[in-house]
mmCIF file of all heavy atoms in Angstrom:
data_model
loop_
_atom_site.group_PDB
_atom_site.id
_atom_site.type_symbol
_atom_site.label_atom_id
_atom_site.label_comp_id
_atom_site.label_asym_id
_atom_site.label_seq_id
_atom_site.Cartn_x
_atom_site.Cartn_y
_atom_site.Cartn_z
ATOM 1 N N GLY W 69 -7.607 -0.374 -16.777
ATOM 2 C CA GLY W 69 -7.486 0.455 -15.563
ATOM 3 C C GLY W 69 -7.690 -0.350 -14.303
ATOM 4 O O GLY W 69 -6.704 -0.759 -13.651
ATOM 5 N N PRO W 70 -8.942 -0.618 -13.923
ATOM 6 C CA PRO W 70 -9.147 -1.352 -12.662
ATOM 7 C C PRO W 70 -8.714 -2.802 -12.751
ATOM 8 O O PRO W 70 -8.617 -3.373 -13.839
ATOM 9 C CB PRO W 70 -10.665 -1.278 -12.459
ATOM 10 C CG PRO W 70 -11.186 -0.262 -13.412
ATOM 11 C CD PRO W 70 -10.201 -0.196 -14.534
ATOM 12 N N VAL W 71 -8.488 -3.395 -11.590
ATOM 13 C CA VAL W 71 -8.268 -4.851 -11.499
ATOM 14 C C VAL W 71 -9.590 -5.516 -11.812
ATOM 15 O O VAL W 71 -10.646 -5.074 -11.346
ATOM 16 C CB VAL W 71 -7.841 -5.228 -10.049
ATOM 17 C CG1 VAL W 71 -7.801 -6.730 -9.861
ATOM 18 C CG2 VAL W 71 -6.512 -4.576 -9.701
ATOM 19 N N ILE W 72 -9.572 -6.568 -12.626
ATOM 20 C CA ILE W 72 -10.827 -7.275 -12.954
ATOM 21 C C ILE W 72 -10.862 -8.558 -12.137
ATOM 22 O O ILE W 72 -9.894 -9.338 -12.129
ATOM 23 C CB ILE W 72 -10.942 -7.586 -14.459
ATOM 24 C CG1 ILE W 72 -10.732 -6.322 -15.306
ATOM 25 C CG2 ILE W 72 -12.286 -8.256 -14.767
ATOM 26 C CD1 ILE W 72 -11.727 -5.187 -15.088
ATOM 27 N N CYS W 73 -11.974 -8.761 -11.461
ATOM 28 C CA CYS W 73 -12.065 -9.859 -10.502
ATOM 29 C C CYS W 73 -13.281 -10.738 -10.769
ATOM 30 O O CYS W 73 -14.313 -10.265 -11.236
ATOM 31 C CB CYS W 73 -12.192 -9.162 -9.119
ATOM 32 S SG CYS W 73 -12.583 -10.263 -7.764
ATOM 33 N N SER W 74 -13.119 -12.028 -10.474
ATOM 34 C CA SER W 74 -14.292 -12.917 -10.489
ATOM 35 C C SER W 74 -14.416 -13.557 -9.132
ATOM 36 O O SER W 74 -13.437 -13.941 -8.496
ATOM 37 C CB SER W 74 -14.140 -14.019 -11.546
ATOM 38 O OG SER W 74 -15.159 -14.982 -11.349
ATOM 39 N N LEU W 75 -15.669 -13.740 -8.707
ATOM 40 C CA LEU W 75 -15.922 -14.468 -7.463
ATOM 41 C C LEU W 75 -15.833 -15.953 -7.761
ATOM 42 O O LEU W 75 -16.070 -16.407 -8.891
ATOM 43 C CB LEU W 75 -17.323 -14.119 -6.962
ATOM 44 C CG LEU W 75 -17.720 -14.705 -5.605
ATOM 45 C CD1 LEU W 75 -16.887 -14.106 -4.470
ATOM 46 C CD2 LEU W 75 -19.204 -14.482 -5.306
ATOM 47 N N SER W 76 -15.477 -16.739 -6.741
ATOM 48 C CA SER W 76 -15.526 -18.205 -6.901
ATOM 49 C C SER W 76 -15.701 -18.849 -5.527
ATOM 50 O O SER W 76 -15.148 -18.317 -4.536
ATOM 51 C CB SER W 76 -14.234 -18.719 -7.526
ATOM 52 O OG SER W 76 -13.175 -18.599 -6.609
ATOM 53 N N ARG W 77 -16.467 -19.921 -5.446
ATOM 54 C CA ARG W 77 -16.508 -20.648 -4.199
ATOM 55 C C ARG W 77 -15.154 -21.293 -3.992
ATOM 56 O O ARG W 77 -14.308 -21.291 -4.901
ATOM 57 C CB ARG W 77 -17.620 -21.705 -4.252
ATOM 58 C CG ARG W 77 -19.033 -21.142 -4.096
ATOM 59 C CD ARG W 77 -20.051 -22.144 -4.503
ATOM 60 N NE ARG W 77 -19.893 -22.524 -5.902
ATOM 61 C CZ ARG W 77 -20.727 -23.282 -6.594
ATOM 62 N NH1 ARG W 77 -21.812 -23.734 -6.028
ATOM 63 N NH2 ARG W 77 -20.477 -23.596 -7.860
ATOM 64 N N ALA W 78 -14.938 -21.858 -2.805
ATOM 65 C CA ALA W 78 -13.618 -22.411 -2.501
ATOM 66 C C ALA W 78 -13.486 -23.836 -3.033
ATOM 67 O O ALA W 78 -13.358 -24.771 -2.261
ATOM 68 C CB ALA W 78 -13.397 -22.349 -1.002
ATOM 69 N N ASN W 79 -13.584 -23.964 -4.356
ATOM 70 C CA ASN W 79 -13.336 -25.293 -4.960
ATOM 71 C C ASN W 79 -12.586 -25.107 -6.266
ATOM 72 O O ASN W 79 -12.674 -24.034 -6.885
ATOM 73 C CB ASN W 79 -14.651 -26.071 -5.119
ATOM 74 C CG ASN W 79 -15.555 -25.451 -6.148
ATOM 75 O OD1 ASN W 79 -15.213 -25.256 -7.307
ATOM 76 N ND2 ASN W 79 -16.784 -25.075 -5.708
ATOM 77 N N HIS W 80 -11.900 -26.148 -6.684
ATOM 78 C CA HIS W 80 -11.027 -26.010 -7.849
ATOM 79 C C HIS W 80 -11.767 -25.647 -9.115
ATOM 80 O O HIS W 80 -11.305 -24.859 -9.936
ATOM 81 C CB HIS W 80 -10.203 -27.277 -8.015
ATOM 82 C CG HIS W 80 -9.137 -27.433 -6.954
ATOM 83 N ND1 HIS W 80 -8.014 -28.212 -7.106
ATOM 84 C CD2 HIS W 80 -9.028 -26.860 -5.728
ATOM 85 C CE1 HIS W 80 -7.264 -28.120 -6.006
ATOM 86 N NE2 HIS W 80 -7.887 -27.313 -5.156
ATOM 87 N N GLY W 81 -12.961 -26.265 -9.304
ATOM 88 C CA GLY W 81 -13.746 -26.001 -10.526
ATOM 89 C C GLY W 81 -14.090 -24.511 -10.653
ATOM 90 O O GLY W 81 -13.864 -23.888 -11.710
ATOM 91 N N ASP W 82 -14.608 -23.942 -9.580
ATOM 92 C CA ASP W 82 -14.976 -22.507 -9.590
ATOM 93 C C ASP W 82 -13.761 -21.643 -9.820
ATOM 94 O O ASP W 82 -13.807 -20.665 -10.586
ATOM 95 C CB ASP W 82 -15.542 -22.104 -8.210
ATOM 96 C CG ASP W 82 -17.049 -22.252 -8.149
ATOM 97 O OD1 ASP W 82 -17.605 -23.137 -8.847
ATOM 98 O OD2 ASP W 82 -17.695 -21.489 -7.382
ATOM 99 N N ILE W 83 -12.661 -22.008 -9.172
ATOM 100 C CA ILE W 83 -11.449 -21.187 -9.273
ATOM 101 C C ILE W 83 -10.905 -21.225 -10.720
ATOM 102 O O ILE W 83 -10.496 -20.210 -11.270
ATOM 103 C CB ILE W 83 -10.408 -21.622 -8.249
ATOM 104 C CG1 ILE W 83 -10.929 -21.283 -6.835
ATOM 105 C CG2 ILE W 83 -9.042 -20.973 -8.479
ATOM 106 C CD1 ILE W 83 -10.167 -21.880 -5.685
ATOM 107 N N GLU W 84 -10.949 -22.437 -11.331
ATOM 108 C CA GLU W 84 -10.483 -22.531 -12.713
ATOM 109 C C GLU W 84 -11.347 -21.683 -13.641
ATOM 110 O O GLU W 84 -10.841 -20.987 -14.538
ATOM 111 C CB GLU W 84 -10.499 -23.985 -13.174
ATOM 112 C CG GLU W 84 -9.196 -24.686 -12.845
ATOM 113 C CD GLU W 84 -9.283 -26.214 -12.966
ATOM 114 O OE1 GLU W 84 -10.423 -26.749 -13.105
ATOM 115 O OE2 GLU W 84 -8.244 -26.856 -12.896
ATOM 116 N N ALA W 85 -12.676 -21.720 -13.423
ATOM 117 C CA ALA W 85 -13.575 -20.928 -14.260
ATOM 118 C C ALA W 85 -13.267 -19.440 -14.080
ATOM 119 O O ALA W 85 -13.167 -18.674 -15.068
ATOM 120 C CB ALA W 85 -15.026 -21.186 -13.895
ATOM 121 N N ALA W 86 -13.038 -19.011 -12.842
ATOM 122 C CA ALA W 86 -12.734 -17.614 -12.571
ATOM 123 C C ALA W 86 -11.428 -17.234 -13.266
ATOM 124 O O ALA W 86 -11.334 -16.191 -13.933
ATOM 125 C CB ALA W 86 -12.607 -17.384 -11.049
ATOM 126 N N ALA W 87 -10.412 -18.134 -13.152
ATOM 127 C CA ALA W 87 -9.109 -17.846 -13.737
ATOM 128 C C ALA W 87 -9.206 -17.700 -15.252
ATOM 129 O O ALA W 87 -8.593 -16.780 -15.840
ATOM 130 C CB ALA W 87 -8.126 -18.959 -13.371
ATOM 131 N N GLN W 88 -9.986 -18.586 -15.884
ATOM 132 C CA GLN W 88 -10.139 -18.489 -17.349
ATOM 133 C C GLN W 88 -10.846 -17.203 -17.760
ATOM 134 O O GLN W 88 -10.507 -16.573 -18.741
ATOM 135 C CB GLN W 88 -10.987 -19.648 -17.855
ATOM 136 C CG GLN W 88 -10.161 -20.915 -18.109
ATOM 137 C CD GLN W 88 -11.087 -22.068 -18.477
ATOM 138 O OE1 GLN W 88 -12.147 -21.867 -19.071
ATOM 139 N NE2 GLN W 88 -10.706 -23.273 -18.107
#
Side-chain angles (χ1 to χ4, degrees):
V71 171
I72 307 299
C73 170
S74 169
L75 184 67
S76 71
R77 285 166 299 187
N79 66 58
H80 287 202
D82 269 30
I83 292 168
E84 271 166 350
Q88 274 174 32

